[in-house]
Amino acid sequence: MELGDLTIIAGRNNTGKTSVVYALYGFLNGFDRQLTGSWGNSFVENHFTKIGAGPVEEAIRKLQDDGQATWELSTALREEERARLVAEMAKEYSENGISRTFTASPEQFRGASLCVNYENEFFLRTSSLSASLDPVESFDPLAGLINLRHSGGKVVVSLVDVTPEELRPFSPAYWKRFFVRTYLRFLLGGVFMFAQNPYIFSSARHTIPLFISELDYVRSQFVRSMQYKGRESDDAPPFDLGPLENISSYPLPVHDNIDFYRMIPRLAEAYREDISEDYAGPLEVMLGGRFKVADGSVRFRSSSDSGAGFDIPLHLASSSAWELSGLHFFLKYIYDVDISRFIIIDEPESHLDTTNQIRLARLLAELVNAGNRVLITTHSDYIAKEVNNLIMLSSSFARKVETMERLEYRKQNELSPDQVRAYTAEGGTLVPNRVDEYGIQMPVFDQTIDDINRTARELFTRIEREKGDE
């Protein structure tokens, strides 16, 4: 699968669409942890030995003492080591990460593997080699204080706007952990930087608002049971352990959706009204209501221009409100127009009427044109057909501005054929669909529509003939 600015995977049920996007999400989501852990540490030590740069600790000591460290690394060798790093990351994920993504035993995924070709522009959106420019490092006290550059066949690591004395309090272990992570990012030189920290909306997302209280109850009971087991006591357990006997396991995307929903009250408290409604607003227009957080829970209220007023808990709202609530709060509290993201939505059309499926397709196009990348799986021919309209919209034709205004399109809705990749999941693989100036040729929908239209025509004809015979 080659990722585009907008990537669409269609297909019938049980053809592997969700498995593909979950596996990709697990790899990208675990990217930073992989670099930070013991695996990343071992790779850097092996790398320094291979290039003859001496022990990693020696480079760190020189940086601490002199404010700069330098070693030889040719451009060709750097490219070679980058390719090795990507290959070994994919191998490590294939052997140990895929099963964890699906919360399954390794036996169930024996032989599964992820292979990555990072030459695609999708993964090479940034060529910055400066650790200080990486927003992912913003949580680290050393972020922005170290810079790496590759020039004249040498790697130069230097401190930025800080003296070695000011950094003495940091322990050697902390220094090494930070140095290893930063150096691995430098070695990759932009590969995966754009796609890190993806956000996924799983197909189970609409149930989470309904059961979040029960999920939190089970979690608190589990914590209490662990605390109880750790005590020496003959007292009876403080609660019934029955609910903990069959705790469900969730794939990583569902788990992360649950965690995000738990964060919403805290995000609402932290941001208050200091947020942008540019992309969250259209969802409220689609639903005819507004999401609000009050007293730690989500409520659904009528829009200011709505004729019939209402203010209800989310669980009393429609399934479409449950469905879009997570995306709404992501766009409201997490999404930043200045930071490009990789957004994955499994079946975005779930619980939406046909009009809102079309509106959602336009919103996805606007997110793409704002600099993000979007990957969706879908059963919706309405979304596919609207994407085709948005692709045709990018062509030049007479009275285009007037036509766009009449059809209520905006410039941000246009999609060029080069931006879109489309696939049909069938026969255990992904079959590429042609994308041209007229849109996507997606047989999985076209054949079904042709069949049902043909059936309707035949039945209509037979009824009319029967009337004629009478």
Side-chain angles (χ1 to χ4, degrees):
M1 176 175 63
E2 178 182 335
L3 294 169
D5 294 345
L6 172 63
T7 306
I8 301 174
I9 304 177
R12 301 183 64 184
N13 294 125
N14 302 312
T15 52
K17 302 183 299 298
T18 294
S19 296
V20 168
V21 297
Y22 279 18
L24 177 61
Y25 173 77
F27 176 67
L28 298 174
N29 183 69
F31 181 85
D32 192 58
R33 288 191 296 272
Q34 192 171 357
L35 296 187
T36 305
S38 59
W39 182 92
N41 191 68
S42 297
F43 186 94
V44 170
E45 289 180 345
N46 177 275
H47 167 76
F48 267 61
T49 300
K50 184 175 180 179
I51 67 175
V56 177
E57 289 78 8
E58 181 178 320
I60 295 175
R61 280 195 300 270
K62 192 167 183 60
L63 180 62
Q64 289 174 308
D65 294 340
D66 304 335
Q68 188 176 93
T70 304
W71 57 89
E72 303 287 334
L73 179 65
S74 68
T75 299
L77 186 53
R78 183 180 180 219
E79 290 295 321
E80 179 184 318
E81 286 295 274
R82 179 169 74 169
R84 183 171 73 90
L85 174 56
V86 172
E88 292 195 12
M89 286 173 59
K91 182 174 182 291
E92 166 67 16
Y93 177 70
S94 299
E95 293 176 352
N96 301 303
I98 293 179
S99 59
R100 289 197 297 265
T101 295
F102 290 91
T103 317
S105 69
E107 290 298 320
Q108 290 180 287
F109 284 88
R110 182 177 296 278
S113 64
L114 174 76
C115 299
V116 178
N117 177 2
Y118 58 86
E119 301 300 329
N120 187 319
E121 281 188 5
F122 180 88
F123 290 119
L124 294 171
R125 293 291 173 177
T126 173
S127 59
S128 170
L129 306 182
S130 172
S132 62
L133 296 181
D134 191 343
V136 180
E137 298 290 351
S138 60
F139 66 92
D140 199 307
L142 293 179
L145 303 181
I146 182 174
N147 183 74
L148 294 92
R149 67 180 186 274
H150 188 234
S151 178
K154 292 184 177 182
V155 175
V156 180
V157 189
S158 56
L159 298 179
V160 179
D161 297 329
V162 67
T163 64
E165 289 72 22
E166 292 176 287
L167 299 179
R168 300 278 184 213
F170 294 100
S171 68
Y174 187 91
W175 261 100
K176 185 173 183 180
R177 186 166 61 250
F178 172 76
F179 180 86
V180 165
R181 182 174 66 247
T182 305
Y183 186 71
L184 286 171
R185 290 169 178 269
F186 156 78
L187 192 61
L188 287 168
V191 178
F192 307 119
M193 293 299 104
F194 178 85
Q196 271 192 239
N197 296 318
Y199 277 84
I200 190 169
F201 298 92
S202 71
S203 57
R205 61 190 176 274
H206 67 280
T207 61
I208 294 172
L210 296 182
F211 299 111
I212 191 68
S213 297
E214 285 78 4
L215 293 169
D216 285 341
Y217 169 77
V218 171
R219 183 175 67 167
S220 66
Q221 294 289 66
F222 180 78
V223 171
R224 292 179 65 191
S225 71
M226 293 299 99
Q227 293 172 340
Y228 175 78
K229 288 180 179 180
R231 298 197 305 263
E232 294 290 338
S233 174
D234 294 329
D235 296 337
F239 53 87
D240 181 13
L241 294 179
L244 304 180
E245 293 176 356
N246 295 296
I247 296 177
S248 299
S249 297
Y250 309 108
L252 178 65
V254 179
H255 175 276
D256 287 355
N257 285 171
I258 293 170
D259 277 356
F260 172 68
Y261 227 89
R262 288 187 175 119
M263 290 171 53
I264 289 174
R266 297 199 301 273
L267 291 169
E269 178 65 25
Y271 286 96
R272 300 284 181 163
E273 298 303 320
D274 186 24
I275 42 95
S276 172
E277 297 281 1
D278 290 348
Y279 291 96
L283 296 180
E284 296 181 340
V285 173
M286 290 165 58
L287 294 170
R290 298 176 61 84
F291 296 103
K292 291 293 181 182
V293 179
D295 299 324
S297 63
V298 178
R299 299 186 66 84
F300 190 56
R301 300 177 179 176
S302 55
S303 300
S304 56
D305 57 351
S306 176
F310 59 86
D311 185 344
I312 57 177
L314 184 58
H315 74 270
L316 295 180
S318 68
S319 56
S320 60
W322 310 341
E323 183 71 36
L324 292 178
S325 59
L327 179 58
H328 165 85
F329 286 113
F330 164 76
L331 294 173
K332 188 169 185 175
Y333 294 129
I334 303 297
Y335 178 69
D336 186 330
V337 294
D338 295 323
I339 300 176
S340 298
R341 296 191 180 277
F342 183 32
I343 303 168
I344 303 172
I345 310 179
D346 197 11
E347 299 181 14
E349 71 274 8
S350 295
H351 299 99
L352 299 184
D353 62 48
T354 53
T355 298
N356 279 337
Q357 290 178 41
I358 293 170
R359 289 172 174 170
L360 185 61
R362 297 184 185 187
L363 175 60
L364 297 180
E366 292 190 17
L367 289 172
V368 165
N369 288 321
N372 303 279
R373 300 297 177 270
V374 176
L375 167 62
I376 66 169
T377 70
T378 185
H379 297 290
S380 172
D381 61 312
Y382 288 92
I383 287 180
K385 287 182 179 297
E386 182 62 6
V387 168
N388 289 350
N389 290 340
L390 303 183
I391 291 173
M392 288 190 285
L393 201 65
S394 68
S395 298
S396 298
F397 51 85
R399 308 179 74 175
K400 179 175 179 177
V401 174
E402 177 187 328
T403 302
M404 289 178 63
E405 290 179 354
R406 180 169 51 81
L407 298 177
E408 298 183 344
Y409 285 115
R410 305 196 302 169
K411 178 67 176 176
Q412 300 94 312
N413 298 140
E414 294 183 16
L415 290 171
S416 73
D418 293 339
Q419 289 179 284
V420 180
R421 301 291 183 274
Y423 301 86
T424 298
E426 61 182 16
T429 189
L430 295 180
V431 179
N433 300 139
R434 180 182 174 184
V435 183
D436 57 25
E437 61 184 322
Y438 301 105
I440 306 166
Q441 296 184 15
M442 195 163 274
V444 66
F445 293 137
D446 296 339
Q447 183 62 51
T448 302
I449 293 170
D450 288 345
D451 288 345
I452 198 169
N453 286 339
R454 188 162 44 250
T455 299
R457 285 194 298 270
E458 179 176 344
L459 294 175
F460 177 83
T461 300
R462 290 183 179 277
I463 292 172
E464 289 299 302
R465 285 176 179 174
E466 185 69 21
K467 289 180 179 179
D469 292 341
E470 293 175 356

